[in-house]
Amino acid sequence: MSTDAIIRGEEELRRCLGEAEGGLVSVKARAGDLAAFEVKLPADYLGKERTLRVSFAESFPDLPATFSVLPWPTLEWPHVMTGGLCLHAEDEQPLSDTPEASISYSFGQFSALLQFNLSGSDDAARSREFQKEIRSYWALQVPTAEHRLTLISVPKGSGPLDVVSDQSGMQRQNLRYLAAPEHSQISAFEKRQGRQHVPSRAVAKAGYFLKLVTIPPPRLPAPNSDLVNWLTPSIEPCELFAFQSWLDETRDLGARWIVVSLPTKDIALEAFYVTAPGMNEKTRRVFGRRTQRRQTWRAQKPSALSRVQIDVLDPMVIHQRGGQAAAKLSNKQVILVGAGSLGGELAVTLARAGVGKLVLVDPDILEDVNVGRHILGASDLGRTKVIALADRIRRDIPTTEVVAVPKTIQASSGSLATYFRDADLVLVTTANWPSEAYLWGLKAACSKWILIQAWSEPHALVGHALIAPRGSYDGRYLFERGNFRHLKSDWPSNGVIPLPACGQSYIPGSGANLSRIVSMIAACALRALANPPDVPTWHFTVGGLEQIEELEGTYTGPSLPAGQCFIECVQEWPP
């Protein structure tokens, strides 16, 4: 930016300083800055006199001026990190439209921060500010271990954790450890991931989950000092003895993990890694399924402390940002018949939403012509769609149990009897009338599950979802030879395009248009699972009407209001 912007910024800074403006002096700019100014600050609560430095870079005000305090008050003032003052939260954008607005906003944020640290300021208020970013302060003080710790589930209370190497027997490549309150949870996780099951015997209790009642101080104990004394004031007295007993019982282990749960509204965990004295910091211990494989360390030097990145695969954490709706889905079971362009994306969407169990039914193989509009990719070509989808969901969303049935629904009805008995929802997207009619026949027999039949019209500009509540309902009267009687578009040859030289055909539709229809269907399914409907409803969405004419089709549905690109309608089943 021009020198004029910096002049205007300096003038605004002087205005913000008010009576202290006379103490503002120009100082030598550092590399990357065009100008810098300093002003003395009042003594802080520690009795230290500090200086505020404001630096202007060439990009000001597109990037805000830099506010820094000398000497740097890391771990003495809240919201101070090694890289700068935290004047802007992650979800806040500093004002940059004019030099005046940029300086006024940043100075206001700094003034608010300063109030927590002046002489006579409230110690309790300052402590609360530290607690807002407590894990960031801890991260400043100790190194982070190379590996990661995966916690399979969050324990309900404090206690030991089983820990095993994720790549047992490969010490130098072991970058991940698995931990859980019970080893059966680790075995179940490995089974869901399709890994070879390894029998266990006397697994090392190398971890401990510790629920805290208060947040420990921001300053960690000095290197090689006692972590326990630092944590003790934050532990319930009745749990302290058990924690100390675990420390004594595991003192011979080469490495241990302490996972602390902070007393916050949402789950907030921090993991500390305590290694045995003399252990090479680049050496990664192998924790197998038998205690005999543990190495004993009896050196007299203090232990070393570091942080470890922790990944939590508990549904409460993975779906935490989904709110209460996600919590209601964890015990729901959905049978999804059809794993094509609609069904494949729906399967992943429902898993990410928090559905606890999916049963995927479809005999089809993924082919090259599917890749352009299927959620699976080229690496899955030649694989059965449901098996490839199940592998993907198990890998990416381990909170959902997935069963893959690579058959037609008619051919697998016997083996699926148990799943139908426990199902909350059956969702069919096959666009195959024999399969759909078969499911309507089951539904007419007074089933306790909800049924949704969903499909798209040619070119995926119109999508439908028929929802039948629990009980006896039969929607077959809405179709004639598999064709819905109330379509919203009309196409030559019913929109079906023959494949060359093979006698087969397909219904066209781009992936982008299909995604919009998937969103409607997924919303219908999730609403039905959370709040089961009482009456049958018909949902349809319409969009891109100009494309229908361009593609030589005729639109026969309701007109779109002026200014709207698409609509979604809900009504009772037509007569």
Side-chain angles (χ1 to χ4, degrees):
M1 292 295 292
S2 65
T3 305
D4 176 65
I6 294 178
I7 293 173
R8 291 167 59 187
E10 178 191 352
E11 291 175 350
E12 180 63 19
L13 179 60
R14 291 184 180 277
R15 188 195 69 77
C16 292
L17 286 168
E19 295 180 358
E21 177 268 337
L24 186 70
V25 295
S26 176
V27 295
K28 183 179 180 181
R30 296 171 181 168
D33 293 330
L34 294 183
F37 301 88
E38 292 184 356
V39 62
K40 295 291 184 181
L41 295 173
D44 67 6
Y45 73 99
L46 296 171
K48 294 183 179 181
E49 294 185 353
R50 305 183 193 267
T51 299
L52 169 65
R53 180 185 177 93
V54 182
S55 305
F56 294 86
E58 184 178 0
S59 56
F60 175 81
D62 294 329
L63 289 178
T66 300
F67 281 60
S68 55
V69 176
L70 307 172
W72 199 244
T74 306
L75 298 177
E76 295 175 343
W77 289 16
H79 308 302
V80 176
M81 303 298 165
T82 54
L85 305 177
C86 299
L87 300 183
H88 314 291
E90 287 187 7
D91 57 349
E92 294 177 347
Q93 294 296 322
L95 299 178
S96 61
D97 52 348
T98 66
E100 292 80 6
S102 179
I103 289 296
S104 176
Y105 178 78
S106 294
F107 189 87
Q109 297 291 92
F110 173 75
S111 297
L113 184 154
L114 185 63
Q115 297 308 309
F116 294 112
N117 302 289
L118 290 176
S119 176
S121 56
D122 186 351
D123 291 342
R126 184 166 52 255
S127 177
R128 287 193 296 270
E129 291 304 305
F130 269 116
Q131 291 178 4
K132 290 179 181 179
E133 298 181 281
I134 193 68
R135 297 168 67 192
S136 298
Y137 302 120
W138 293 342
L140 295 176
Q141 301 170 67
V142 294
T144 300
E146 290 182 288
H147 68 270
R148 303 180 76 95
L149 180 69
T150 299
L151 185 63
I152 304 300
S153 66
V154 177
K156 294 182 179 179
S158 300
L161 297 170
D162 283 4
V163 179
V164 300
S165 303
D166 201 12
Q167 292 179 297
S168 183
M170 303 173 64
Q171 181 171 344
R172 295 191 178 277
Q173 300 177 33
N174 190 44
L175 291 174
R176 193 177 295 272
Y177 294 83
L178 302 176
E182 302 292 339
H183 187 74
S184 59
Q185 295 173 309
I186 297 177
S187 299
F189 169 76
E190 292 178 319
K191 183 179 179 180
R192 289 198 305 270
Q193 295 287 300
R195 303 178 184 179
Q196 181 179 2
H197 176 66
V198 181
S200 62
R201 184 171 71 247
V203 177
K205 296 287 186 180
Y208 200 91
F209 185 82
L210 195 57
K211 294 194 73 170
L212 303 182
V213 292
T214 61
I215 295 179
R219 193 176 294 277
L220 282 166
N224 298 329
S225 64
D226 191 359
L227 178 68
V228 179
N229 287 338
W230 177 71
L231 287 171
T232 295
S234 299
I235 304 174
E236 284 279 13
C238 60
E239 295 183 346
L240 183 57
F241 177 77
F243 178 52
Q244 291 175 326
S245 297
W246 171 80
L247 288 170
D248 291 338
E249 293 167 1
T250 58
R251 64 182 180 275
D252 291 339
L253 292 179
R256 290 176 290 181
W257 290 262
I258 300 173
V259 181
V260 296
S261 174
L262 303 180
T264 56
K265 180 180 179 181
D266 293 323
I267 296 173
L269 306 180
E270 186 72 14
F272 295 101
Y273 183 50
V274 185
T275 54
M279 179 175 168
N280 187 320
E281 63 179 11
K282 293 186 178 180
T283 301
R284 292 180 284 274
R285 300 297 304 136
V286 172
F287 281 80
R289 271 67 174 177
R290 294 179 294 278
T291 55
Q292 291 89 326
R293 300 186 63 182
R294 295 180 289 166
Q295 184 169 343
T296 299
W297 299 77
R298 294 189 180 277
Q300 299 302 311
K301 296 180 181 179
S303 300
L305 175 68
S306 59
R307 294 173 65 250
V308 63
Q309 295 292 330
I310 183 169
D311 303 310
V312 185
L313 300 185
D314 193 294
M316 291 188 298
V317 173
I318 287 184
H319 303 294
Q320 180 172 288
R321 298 185 180 183
Q324 296 182 350
K328 294 181 179 180
L329 298 172
S330 61
N331 62 346
K332 301 298 184 180
Q333 178 172 299
V334 175
I335 298 176
L336 183 54
V337 183
S341 303
L342 288 178
E345 191 170 346
L346 279 168
V348 174
T349 300
L350 294 178
R352 291 197 185 281
V355 171
K357 186 170 185 177
L358 287 174
V359 180
L360 309 179
V361 184
D362 193 320
D364 288 350
I365 304 294
L366 187 72
E367 301 176 347
D368 50 8
V369 293
N370 302 138
V371 172
R373 62 178 192 173
H374 203 284
I375 200 164
L376 297 173
S379 61
D380 292 310
L381 286 171
R383 300 186 68 196
T384 305
K385 291 176 182 177
V386 291
I387 293 177
L389 271 172
D391 287 346
R392 173 172 175 168
I393 293 171
R394 292 184 189 116
R395 181 184 68 245
D396 295 346
I397 315 147
T399 56
T400 297
E401 181 183 352
V402 191
V403 177
V405 182
K407 301 179 181 178
T408 64
I409 187 65
Q410 301 94 310
S412 53
S413 58
S415 59
L416 288 175
T418 300
Y419 297 117
F420 272 105
R421 184 192 64 205
D422 298 332
D424 297 284
L425 170 69
V426 176
L427 177 55
V428 55
T429 63
T430 59
N432 175 269
W433 180 241
S435 297
E436 295 162 342
Y438 175 80
L439 288 169
W440 280 116
L442 295 180
K443 182 64 178 167
C446 195
S447 64
K448 74 177 188 68
W449 35 264
I450 301 163
L451 176 62
I452 298 180
Q453 179 183 342
W455 71 98
S456 72
E457 295 188 20
H459 299 284
L461 301 171
V462 180
H464 299 266
L466 287 173
I467 304 177
R470 294 168 178 165
S472 177
Y473 292 91
D474 192 343
R476 285 177 286 190
Y477 77 92
L478 297 169
F479 298 83
E480 182 178 357
R481 297 182 179 179
N483 295 315
F484 190 53
R485 296 176 180 271
H486 305 277
L487 296 175
K488 304 303 177 185
S489 61
D490 185 42
W491 301 87
S493 302
N494 292 325
V496 175
I497 298 179
L499 289 170
C502 71
Q504 299 184 35
S505 60
Y506 70 97
I507 298 175
S510 72
N513 290 336
L514 285 167
S515 292
R516 176 173 56 81
I517 296 173
V518 166
S519 296
M520 180 195 72
I521 301 168
C524 290
L526 295 173
R527 282 195 299 266
L529 287 169
N531 298 292
D534 297 323
V535 296
T537 54
W538 168 31
H539 297 242
F540 64 88
T541 179
V542 175
L545 298 187
E546 70 285 350
Q547 297 181 51
I548 294 181
E549 186 174 342
E550 293 172 3
L551 295 168
E552 300 182 354
T554 302
Y555 179 63
T556 59
S559 60
L560 272 63
Q564 287 191 219
C565 297
F566 66 90
I567 59 171
E568 182 176 330
C569 300
V570 183
Q571 60 187 61
E572 296 181 0
W573 282 6

